[in-house]
């Protein structure tokens, strides 16, 4: 059973999605919802043994599967997870389950197609995180664009077509250079698309630099890093609530994961040479985008910019080279960035769901259309306060742990990096709490707010589960850091080596 866990994590949600899709028209919407819920629940339960059966003392790939796929080109269906990827498979399946519940009553048209799109996308994302063959990774990485494109384009807001096309073109065009890089590495390795083979290749500095440019455009767009971030606010604003939850919680993480899996271990010399550039772009995202978030009038756009700022912390942590020789990644910073990725998955999903709860009642995302919501929705206001505090980096919430670890690592490398990075705690608190104050506090602002009703049982369940995740990780992060520790050490060793031939 353990030998096929990853295949189950990939193909169970895809098959479930196809079954849901077969229910057809909205006459069968109740059946589509329940089938989607069952499919998402079973798909999530299948991923739990990945954690319980994970050997924390072993940094290599576990739960591996290997079958020939395209034998003439030596392309294999090769799967495996380590401490860098396993948690994201579980996070993805967990988020998909919440997204199915989030759209339970809200989505009334094309219900089967909506639920199926999320289930299929969940399987494809799991495939990208588990792929050990570069072409298999590329296939999953690109295929997941299709359901997300449809989710934004069909169930999105007034400018949904513009947002979906922009999202698709940005991410597709960026990824095409990655395919070129994979083909080059294939010939250099003597005819293998195995990612492990790429990581053993000697490469000249010129080759590493060109490959870094190719990988950068694919993964930086996905994160997204400044200045290739402009597609994200549009996509978030127009996407339905479930689309925003998955986009922020999971798909952005694939870009950051690409830096861990491809850039640092395959191109260590170029990574060290251009670390200053990655750090600069990351700090611009943290500081400048944090200030951009301050002036937003749309709640979803504000949280979207907040995501870009917080993901800047992730890429900052990944390129903290220091030590006596200046070529050693800082383990605090790398582990902190990974913790930040998981935490951001919980917090961003929660924040977007909170906005969705209010939008379903008032049909507006504008901050000016609210005020005094806490008077009518006290339970909801309590949950949203927790998530707002977590988004601000409050100690005892998951939002604090990763940021603190990255800042701790940055202090050891360069004090001014730490100072610039720490401004996120100021800007994060400023834009999040200012939004919260204007929306939730004060007198009841208008008739729409006066007619609000507090969360129902379904919404309470989703908020409670996310609250437990945010507090649990904030109070006791060890279950997350233990499984990644050995893999991070292996990555640090790989990134400290030279590949120059």
């Amino acid at each position: 059973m353990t030998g096929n866990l990853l295949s189950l994590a990939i193909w169970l949600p895809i098959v479930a999605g196809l079954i849901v899709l077969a229910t057809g028209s909205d006459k069968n919407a109740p059946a589509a919802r329940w089938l989607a819920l069952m499919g998402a629940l079973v798909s999530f339960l299948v991923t739990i043994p990945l954690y319980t059966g994970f050997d924390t003392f072993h940094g290599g790939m576990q739960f591996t599967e290997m079958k020939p796929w395209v034998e003439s080109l030596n392309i294999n269906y090769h799967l495996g997870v380590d401490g860098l990827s396993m948690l994201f498979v579980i996070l993805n399946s967990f988020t998909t389950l919440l997204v199915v519940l989030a759209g339970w009553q809200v989505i009334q048209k094309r219900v089967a197609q909506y639920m199926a799109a999320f289930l299929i996308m969940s399987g494809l994302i799991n495939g990208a995180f588990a792929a050990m063959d570069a072409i298999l990774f590329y296939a999953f990485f690109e295929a997941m664009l299709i359901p997300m494109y449809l989710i934004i384009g069909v169930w999105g807001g007034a400018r949904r077509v513009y947002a979906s096309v922009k999202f698709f073109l940005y991410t597709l065009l960026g990824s095409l250079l990655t395919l070129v890089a994979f083909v080059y590495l294939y010939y250099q390795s003597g005819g293998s698309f195995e990612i492990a083979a790429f990581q053993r290749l000697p490469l000249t500095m010129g080759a590493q630099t060109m490959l870094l440019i190719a990988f950068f455009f694919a993964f930086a767009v996905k994160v997204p890093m400044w200045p290739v971030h402009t597609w994200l606010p549009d996509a978030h604003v127009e996407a339905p609530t479930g689309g925003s939850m998955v986009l922020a919680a999971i798909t952005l993480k694939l870009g950051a994961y690409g830096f861990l899996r491809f850039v640092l271990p395959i191109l260590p010399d170029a990574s060290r040479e251009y670390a200053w550039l990655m750090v600069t772009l990351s700090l611009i995202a943290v500081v400048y985008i944090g200030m951009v978030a301050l002036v937003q009038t749309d709640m979803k756009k504000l949280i979207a910019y907040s995501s870009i700022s917080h993901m800047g912390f992730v890429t900052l942590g990944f390129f903290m080279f220091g030590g006596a020789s200046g070529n050693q990644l800082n383990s605090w910073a790398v582990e902190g960035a990974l913790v930040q990725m998981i935490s951001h998955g919980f917090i961003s999903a929660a924040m977007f769901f909170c906005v969705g709860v209010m939008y379903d009642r008032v049909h507006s995302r504008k901050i000016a259309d609210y005020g005094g919501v806490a008077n009518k929705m006290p339970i909801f206001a309590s949950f949203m306060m927790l998530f707002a505090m977590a988004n601000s980096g409050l100690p005892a919430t998951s939002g604090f742990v990763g940021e603190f670890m990255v800042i701790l690592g940055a202090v050891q490398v360069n004090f001014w990096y730490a100072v610039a990075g720490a401004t996120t705690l100021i800007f994060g608190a400023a834009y999040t709490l200012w939004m919260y104050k204007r929306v939730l506090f004060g007198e009841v602002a208008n008739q729409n707010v006066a007619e609000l009703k507090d969360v129902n049982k379904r919404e309470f369940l989703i908020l409670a589960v996310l609250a437990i995740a945010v507090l649990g990780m904030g109070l006791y992060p060890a279950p997350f850091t233990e499984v990644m520790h050995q893999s991070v050490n292996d990555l640090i060793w790989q990134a400290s080596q030279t590949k120059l031939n």
Side-chain angles (χ1 to χ4, degrees):
M1 176 70 172
T2 55
N4 296 313
L5 271 177
L6 289 174
S7 280
L8 285 172
I10 295 166
W11 298 107
L12 253 179
I14 292 175
V15 170
L18 294 174
I19 292 170
V20 170
L21 199 59
T23 60
S25 70
D26 288 336
K27 290 186 301 181
N28 301 318
R33 292 188 182 101
W34 283 106
L35 284 170
L37 181 61
M38 288 170 56
L41 179 61
V42 172
S43 299
F44 170 61
L45 293 176
V46 160
T47 65
I48 300 299
L50 294 174
Y51 183 88
T52 57
F54 192 82
D55 181 0
T56 57
F57 298 102
H58 176 55
M61 290 292 176
Q62 302 181 37
F63 305 101
T64 55
E65 300 175 40
M66 174 81 159
K67 294 181 181 66
W69 185 21
V70 184
E71 293 190 60
S72 59
L73 294 174
N74 198 20
I75 301 172
N76 299 305
Y77 177 77
H78 194 184
L79 303 175
V81 288
D82 60 2
L84 306 178
S85 55
M86 180 268 290
L87 289 172
F88 295 106
V89 173
I90 300 173
L91 177 64
N92 174 44
S93 300
F94 169 75
T95 305
T96 303
L97 178 58
L98 295 183
V99 163
V100 169
L101 286 170
W104 196 265
Q105 293 172 339
V106 180
I107 303 300
Q108 295 293 330
K109 294 183 178 179
R110 303 186 182 92
V111 175
Q113 292 86 340
Y114 177 86
M115 298 294 185
F118 279 107
L119 286 166
I120 292 169
M121 183 167 60
S122 177
L124 296 172
I125 292 172
N126 282 345
F129 280 121
M132 294 175 64
D133 181 283
I135 296 300
L136 186 66
F137 170 84
Y138 184 80
F140 283 126
F141 190 75
E142 293 294 87
M144 56 151 288
L145 297 179
I146 299 169
M148 182 54 84
Y149 170 79
L150 293 173
I151 288 164
I152 299 171
V154 176
W155 293 276
R159 299 175 71 241
R160 58 187 179 274
V161 174
Y162 166 78
S164 60
V165 170
K166 188 176 182 180
F167 157 77
F168 192 84
L169 289 179
Y170 259 74
T171 48
L172 177 68
L173 293 175
S175 303
L176 288 175
L177 286 173
T178 305
L179 184 59
V180 175
F182 287 159
V183 171
Y184 174 82
L185 290 167
Y186 170 78
Y187 285 111
Q188 291 297 113
S189 64
S192 173
F193 279 110
E194 288 294 309
I195 297 171
F198 293 171
Q199 293 173 353
R200 294 190 294 267
L201 274 179
L203 294 165
T204 66
M205 193 62 183
Q208 287 192 43
T209 302
M210 295 305 293
L211 289 167
L212 178 63
I213 292 170
F215 285 136
F216 175 83
F217 277 105
F219 302 137
V221 166
K222 203 78 165 184
V223 168
M225 295 178 70
W226 182 89
V228 288
H229 66 282
T230 57
W231 65 268
L232 184 69
D234 289 318
H236 269 312
V237 167
E238 300 305 327
T241 299
S244 289
M245 289 171 70
V246 169
L247 194 61
I250 299 299
T251 58
L252 307 188
K253 310 305 182 293
L254 269 171
Y257 172 75
F259 285 115
L260 286 180
R261 186 62 75 211
F262 296 96
V263 174
L264 289 166
I266 297 174
L267 315 171
D269 301 283
S271 296
R272 292 193 294 272
E273 182 72 20
Y274 296 101
W276 65 270
L277 177 61
M278 299 299 291
V279 168
T280 301
L281 294 177
S282 300
L283 288 174
I284 290 172
V286 169
V287 179
Y288 168 67
I289 299 298
M291 289 191 284
V292 171
L294 271 170
V295 299
Q296 299 307 312
T297 58
D298 183 300
M299 287 187 285
K300 282 186 86 171
K301 191 166 277 192
L302 186 149
I303 299 168
Y305 280 114
S306 170
S307 284
I308 299 167
S309 180
H310 283 101
M311 288 302 290
F313 238 85
V314 172
T315 48
L316 177 68
F318 288 165
F319 288 89
M320 279 289 150
F321 285 96
S325 59
N327 68 346
Q328 191 87 4
L329 277 174
N330 186 281
S331 60
W332 278 104
V334 176
E335 281 194 29
L338 279 164
V339 169
Q340 174 75 347
M341 287 166 72
I342 302 289
S343 167
H344 181 258
F346 296 142
I347 296 169
S348 61
M351 291 294 287
F352 278 115
F353 180 69
C354 285
V355 175
V357 167
M358 290 186 286
Y359 181 81
D360 294 341
R361 290 158 168 76
V362 181
H363 301 294
S364 173
R365 295 182 299 266
K366 296 294 181 184
I367 294 172
D369 291 340
Y370 292 87
V373 172
N375 296 304
K376 295 296 180 180
M377 303 177 71
I379 296 173
F380 169 78
S382 302
F383 277 118
M384 191 170 177
M385 172 59 83
L386 169 64
F387 301 133
M389 289 298 187
N391 201 49
S392 304
L394 184 76
T397 66
S398 62
F400 173 76
V401 181
E403 291 179 1
F404 177 72
M405 290 172 73
V406 173
I407 292 171
L408 201 62
V411 168
Q412 297 171 5
V413 174
N414 185 306
F415 175 74
W416 294 109
Y417 290 169
V419 170
T423 59
T424 191
L425 298 171
I426 300 168
F427 291 124
Y431 59 68
T432 307
L433 298 181
W434 194 34
M435 176 190 74
Y436 187 89
K437 171 186 173 292
R438 289 179 288 168
V439 172
L440 276 295
F441 288 157
E443 297 298 321
V444 173
N446 54 55
Q447 189 61 31
N448 286 331
V449 174
E451 294 173 359
L452 287 175
K453 288 183 170 55
D454 215 337
V455 291
N456 57 37
K457 291 179 181 178
R458 175 184 58 84
E459 292 165 337
F460 181 88
L461 175 64
I462 296 169
L463 291 167
V465 168
L466 287 167
I468 291 168
V470 167
L471 286 172
M473 189 176 189
L475 293 168
Y476 189 55
F480 299 89
T481 56
E482 284 172 355
V483 295
M484 63 179 69
H485 189 68
Q486 190 55 51
S487 295
V488 167
N489 287 340
D490 291 350
L491 174 69
I492 290 170
W493 180 84
Q494 284 180 303
S496 66
Q497 304 303 302
T498 181
K499 296 286 188 75
L500 300 178
N501 56 10

